[in-house]
Amino acid sequence: MDFRQLQSANKRKSGELLFGMGLLVGLVAWALLTYFGKTGIGVVPFAVGIALISVWGSYWASDKIVMTMTGAKIIQESDNKQLYGLVSEICIASGLPMPKVAIVEDSAPNAFATGRNPEHSVIAFTTGILSAMDREELQGVTAHELAHVANRDTLVSAIAATTAGAIAILTDFLMRIMIFGGGGRRDSNDSNQNPIAIVVSIVVLILAPIAALLLRLAISRKREALADVTAVEFTRNPAGLRRALEVLQKDSTVVHQRSTAVAHIWIESPLDSSATSKLFSTHPPLEERIATLRAMESGS
Amino acid sequence: MNSIITGVIAIAILAFIGIVPRNKLIRLNVSVDEAWAQIEVQLKRRSDLIPNLVETVKGYAAHESKTFQAIVDARAKSTSATTVADVAAADGEMSKALRGLLAVTENYPDLKASSNFLALQEELSSTENKVSFARQFYNDNVRGLNTAIKTFPTNMFVNAAKVKERPFYEIDDPQDRKAPQVKF
């Protein structure tokens, strides 16, 4: 398959998922209005405000925060000429500005990129990935990471996290009012809906946070698939990234700090994949990614 | 009074409709210029590597004069080239000559083991990658510009934006045209 078709398909799908997020917010607002009447709407600005402040602070300083959490150290060109060369090659192929290059002291092979925009981006490699892969494979990994930068995935995941966060805060708040407020509907005089609507709105409020989480994870998986395809646009060499993913597949060591907070930024999920089902993971399964790249190799 | 306001708004809308595609064309044209500048930067980098590389190889394989001459000739040609076609032709010749040189080094194990040569070889292969990525990026940008020049609505504003179709960077080297090798 051609990378251009795959790219637009992935972009469309993640766009649809973000749209689904928007619909979910609308649905929660409707449930709110149905159950609590107009006074319930007053809670929305608070929930959105809290979510915005918590997520966008970390979005704005994403490069610094992630660097601290993962223990990545910025290197200079003289420290690793080959790695620096690899990164600047992909910058030329993509037209991106040169990011900061960092190393994480960890024997597990992995890599990540972050930053609020291409000008503030950081690309980091573990010492494990540098020793496990040859030049062509590392080029594929670099292209995948810089594809995240080019596709503005830090921004996309920040938007997804904000919406999911707002929904979680909102529903949590409302469930508390329902339980501790004696189940009372505050102003029943202006919300005299039929009982079915009331029941549906309760179900929506209960299920919304889970749905938001699943949507957020689905967006993350789509962006990973998109980054693989964009990487091929940069290198025009699906085999490099495919072989890199095969190296990751064979490797059983996982990154030491298994914080779920930064799990989504690595090229391969650092969490134990067998413990979680596909629905709850931030990355598509490696076999699926390898198969897609293989299809691109034979198609071009 | 009302008709004057309507007229002013209509003119403003028309001006806006004209400005957006015109600016798009100008922006695409600038990005082609930038991509071209990147090719020149990378070709210059490669050119600057050559004296050092030739000296190093000469130290081990002094009698391979034909190979060295091909590189010197290609380098001389590349400095005088200005048009896209000429630069591309000189670039192709240089790539071929450098591959010839690297093929020669296969026969000299001492040379291949020298750390100086290994560093040069890494730098050369990185530069070769940069040159080919710069070509690819340039051609993608040319494709974007040429498509905009031919398609509606931007095709209406080609004269206003003072842009014209740009040539692709076509390198006459069979090795570069080959589809990427698939290794299993």
Side-chain angles (χ1 to χ4, degrees), chain B residues 12 20 78 85 116 138 145 147 154 178 181-182:
Chain B
V20 172
S78 66
N116 193 11
Y138 171 83
L145 176 69
T147 310
T154 34
K178 251 194 319 198
Q181 290 280 311
V182 185

Side-chain angles (χ1 to χ4, degrees), chain A residues 23 31 52 54 57 73 83 89 113 123 127 138 152 194 237 252:
Chain A
L23 281 184
L52 271 179
S54 62
K73 298 257 180 323
L83 188 60
E89 282 164 29
I123 180 167
T127 42
L138 278 175
R152 302 284 184 128
N194 62 55
N237 178 16
S252 54

Side-chain angles (χ1 to χ4, degrees), chain B residues 122-135:
Chain B
E122 164 58 32
E123 196 152 352
L124 185 68
S125 60
S126 182
T127 308
E128 277 291 333
N129 282 344
K130 283 174 186 167
V131 170
S132 82
F133 283 141
R135 286 180 203 131

Side-chain angles (χ1 to χ4, degrees), chain B residues 30-40 134 137-139 141:
Chain B
V30 170
S31 57
V32 172
D33 286 339
E34 283 172 1
W36 175 250
Q38 183 65 262
I39 292 185
E40 291 194 312
F137 189 65
Y138 171 83
N139 281 338
N141 277 294

Side-chain angles (χ1 to χ4, degrees), chain A residues 77 80-89 133-136 138-139, chain B residues 45-46 49 53 56 102 105 111-112 114-131:
Chain A
E77 183 170 3
N80 191 336
K81 269 199 144 171
Q82 191 190 44
L83 188 60
Y84 232 83
L86 273 166
V87 175
S88 54
E89 282 164 29
M133 288 185 188
D134 66 20
R135 200 177 198 289
E136 198 186 341
L138 278 175
Q139 189 186 57
Chain B
R45 266 180 57 112
R46 185 174 69 179
L49 273 178
L53 181 75
T56 310
L102 289 181
T105 61
L111 169 63
K112 286 197 76 184
S114 98
S115 62
N116 193 11
F117 178 72
L118 285 175
L120 271 171
Q121 200 181 22
E122 164 58 32
E123 196 152 352
L124 185 68
S125 60
S126 182
T127 308
E128 277 291 333
N129 282 344
K130 283 174 186 167
V131 170

